[in-house]
């Protein structure tokens, strides 16, 4: 199935169950929101989870582009992306976790044709504040899906405070042969869908207060689902990543991890640019600058002459289209090329500084911190070929 077919199958499944489409939000939250970027489908719906009536009703479905920097160090493995599409559903004080899990099971097995024998679930097993999610456990048992009980791993929150609750995660076996083990002990089990009982608000002191209404919030990464349905081993095999994968591979020989980092960060940078952010030293602009410079740092480890100007238009245009953004490619390309030029100038100025530091002996943590904070030189670059050349 193409990404478009996956999205249509997902949305239609929930339309038939009384859900109405909620509008997608940009990556940039509205003024006054302390979060830099939209990190999940539920983020724009926070006021409605707290009880405000939503204009589209109490059952919602949508697709939301998201950006997460919490997993930035994981990018380079087969499953993590910085920017991705999230397929989401919500019950705002309507149905509970039982129907949500059953509908999810029906969609995966009947709608997408996933073999039920490749499914495994995890359920919140309780802690010192909240008891085990017996309804979720009973639902999975009734459906014949193996269940693993956990504690913190199955408690969802969007930060140290705010809406939260126990969740149930659905995993699909991606290994060869019949499934073995459990998600907690075998990384061939890949999480594809999270169903959260959004029932509490956590305060600064850790206290849990029940929300005015119990909600259900689910999220499923489109790229991970596509990977499962394609029988692939990496999200970088998916249609939305292919233009970047091919463009980078055709120009620069990189090892697999470096290749994934460069593809992810450049693709993510284009999406951030497409929502109006420009490189800066603070806030959202700094996140964008960090993505570009991490990509360049990886790209230049073996050859500093490599330049983003060599990339064709196709990956830019494809990314804007797939993330439902408008804009011309050339202005975005020019922003990235200008940022590359600034970074090169920074490195030229920084080489003598690194050389002086190294002349005093091995670099300490304090040296690395000073090089980064004062001169903007990341540790991975100082330790790489450019640092050695200094």
């Amino acid at each position: 199935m193409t990404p478009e077919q996956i999205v249509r199958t997902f949305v239609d499944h929930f339309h038939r169950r009384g859900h109405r489409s909620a509008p997608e939000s940009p990556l940039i939250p509205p003024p006054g929101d302390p979060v830099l970027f939209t990190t999940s489908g539920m983020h724009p719906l926070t006021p409605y989870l707290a009880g405000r009536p939503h204009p589209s009703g109490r059952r919602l479905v949508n697709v939301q582009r998201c950006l997460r920097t919490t997993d930035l160090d994981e990018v380079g493995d087969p499953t993590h992306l910085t920017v991705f599409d999230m397929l989401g559903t919500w019950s705002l004080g309507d149905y509970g976790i039982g129907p949500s899990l059953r509908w999810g099971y029906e969609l995966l097995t009947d709608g997408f044709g996933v073999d039920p024998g490749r499914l495994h679930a995890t359920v919140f097993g309780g802690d010192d504040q909240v008891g085990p999610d017996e309804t979720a456990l009973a639902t999975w048992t009734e459906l014949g899906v193996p269940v693993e009980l956990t504690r913190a791993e199955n408690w969802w929150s969007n930060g140290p405070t705010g809406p939260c609750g126990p969740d149930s995660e659905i995993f699909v076996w991606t290994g060869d042969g019949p499934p073995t083990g459990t998600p907690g002990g075998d990384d061939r089990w890949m999480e594809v869908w999270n169903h959260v009982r959004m029932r509490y608000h956590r305060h600064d002191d850790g206290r849990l207060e029940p929300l005015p209404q119990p909600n259900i919030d689910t999220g499923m990464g489109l790229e991970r689902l596509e990977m499962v349905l394609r029988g692939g081993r990496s999200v970088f095999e998916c249609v939305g990543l292919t233009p970047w994968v091919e463009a980078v591979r055709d120009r620069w020989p990189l090892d697999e991890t470096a290749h994934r980092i460069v593809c992810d960060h450049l693709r993510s940078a284009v999406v951030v640019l497409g929502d109006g952010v420009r490189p800066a030293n603070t806030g959202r602009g700094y996140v964008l600058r960090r993505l570009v410079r991490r990509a360049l740092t990886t790209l230049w480890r073996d050859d500093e002459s490599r330049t983003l100007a060599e990339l064709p238009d196709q990956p830019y245009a494809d990314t804007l289209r797939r993330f439902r953004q408008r804009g011309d490619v050339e202005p975005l390309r020019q922003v990235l090329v200008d940022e590359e030029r600034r970074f090169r100038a920074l490195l030229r100025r920084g080489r003598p500084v690194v050389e002086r530091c190294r002349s005093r002996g091995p670099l300490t943590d304090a040296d690395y911190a000073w090089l980064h904070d004062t001169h903007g030189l990341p540790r991975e670059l100082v330790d790489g070929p450019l640092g050695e050349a200094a």
Side-chain angles (χ1 to χ4, degrees), residues 55-131:
S56 295
R58 301 172 70 184
R59 297 185 180 191
L60 306 175
V61 59
N62 86 343
V63 182
Q64 173 66 51
R65 58 184 177 274
C66 303
L67 184 150
R68 290 183 184 174
T69 57
T70 51
D71 296 330
L72 206 57
D73 290 336
E74 303 296 327
V75 173
D77 72 6
T79 61
H80 283 89
L81 295 169
T82 306
V83 169
F84 56 93
D85 265 331
M86 181 72 80
L87 308 175
T89 64
W90 293 270
S91 164
L92 304 177
D94 192 351
Y95 57 82
I97 191 66
S100 183
L101 296 180
R102 283 192 290 271
W103 292 339
Y105 176 85
E106 291 168 4
L107 176 59
L108 288 175
T109 57
D110 296 335
F112 291 126
V114 176
D115 180 354
R118 295 172 58 204
L119 297 179
H120 203 299
T122 60
V123 169
F124 182 67
D127 59 16
D128 56 357
Q129 295 190 76
V130 178

Side-chain angles (χ1 to χ4, degrees), residues 7-269:
V7 169
R8 176 48 51 200
T9 300
F10 177 86
V11 172
D12 286 349
H13 179 80
F14 286 97
H15 279 173
R16 290 194 296 271
R17 287 154 181 81
H19 295 66
R20 299 180 67 183
S21 293
E24 180 180 12
S25 298
L27 278 180
I28 314 305
D33 194 315
V35 177
L36 292 178
F37 292 99
T38 299
T39 59
S40 65
M42 65 78 60
H43 185 81
L45 296 174
T46 300
Y48 307 104
L49 294 168
R52 181 191 301 177
H54 193 282
S56 295
R58 301 172 70 184
R59 297 185 180 191
L60 306 175
V61 59
N62 86 343
V63 182
Q64 173 66 51
R65 58 184 177 274
C66 303
L67 184 150
R68 290 183 184 174
T69 57
T70 51
D71 296 330
L72 206 57
D73 290 336
E74 303 296 327
V75 173
D77 72 6
T79 61
H80 283 89
L81 295 169
T82 306
V83 169
F84 56 93
D85 265 331
M86 181 72 80
L87 308 175
T89 64
W90 293 270
S91 164
L92 304 177
D94 192 351
Y95 57 82
I97 191 66
S100 183
L101 296 180
R102 283 192 290 271
W103 292 339
Y105 176 85
E106 291 168 4
L107 176 59
L108 288 175
T109 57
D110 296 335
F112 291 126
V114 176
D115 180 354
R118 295 172 58 204
L119 297 179
H120 203 299
T122 60
V123 169
F124 182 67
D127 59 16
D128 56 357
Q129 295 190 76
V130 178
D133 191 341
E134 296 181 356
T135 303
L137 179 62
T139 301
W140 286 125
T141 301
E142 176 187 338
L143 292 170
V145 176
V147 180
E148 181 179 6
L149 295 176
T150 76
R151 299 190 70 179
E153 294 89 344
N154 279 96
W155 183 271
W156 194 94
S157 65
N158 202 33
T161 61
C164 58
D167 67 37
S168 181
E169 298 172 356
I170 307 174
F171 292 78
V172 177
W173 177 254
T174 62
D176 296 324
T180 61
T182 65
D186 193 322
D187 59 11
R188 288 174 294 181
W189 286 105
M190 187 179 70
E191 179 193 348
V192 294
W193 205 350
N194 191 9
H195 292 237
V196 184
R197 300 182 75 177
M198 199 72 71
R199 303 175 63 190
Y200 302 99
H201 179 95
R202 188 183 295 278
H203 293 273
D204 290 331
D205 59 5
R207 178 173 50 89
L208 294 177
E209 178 184 2
L211 291 172
Q213 62 187 23
N215 309 289
I216 299 296
D217 161 38
T218 86
M220 177 163 54
L222 173 60
E223 291 84 355
R224 286 194 179 188
L225 177 60
E226 183 187 350
M227 169 189 155
V228 167
L229 298 183
R230 290 169 58 90
R233 294 292 183 266
S234 166
V235 292
F236 290 88
E237 301 170 15
C238 295
V239 172
L241 277 297
T242 299
W244 289 102
V245 168
E246 293 179 348
V248 171
R249 183 185 59 215
D250 291 347
R251 283 155 183 82
W252 306 306
L254 300 168
D255 65 52
E256 188 171 51
T257 297
H259 182 248
R260 290 170 176 169
I261 291 172
V262 171
C263 291
D264 170 86
H265 286 11
L266 293 181
R267 174 177 178 261
S268 299

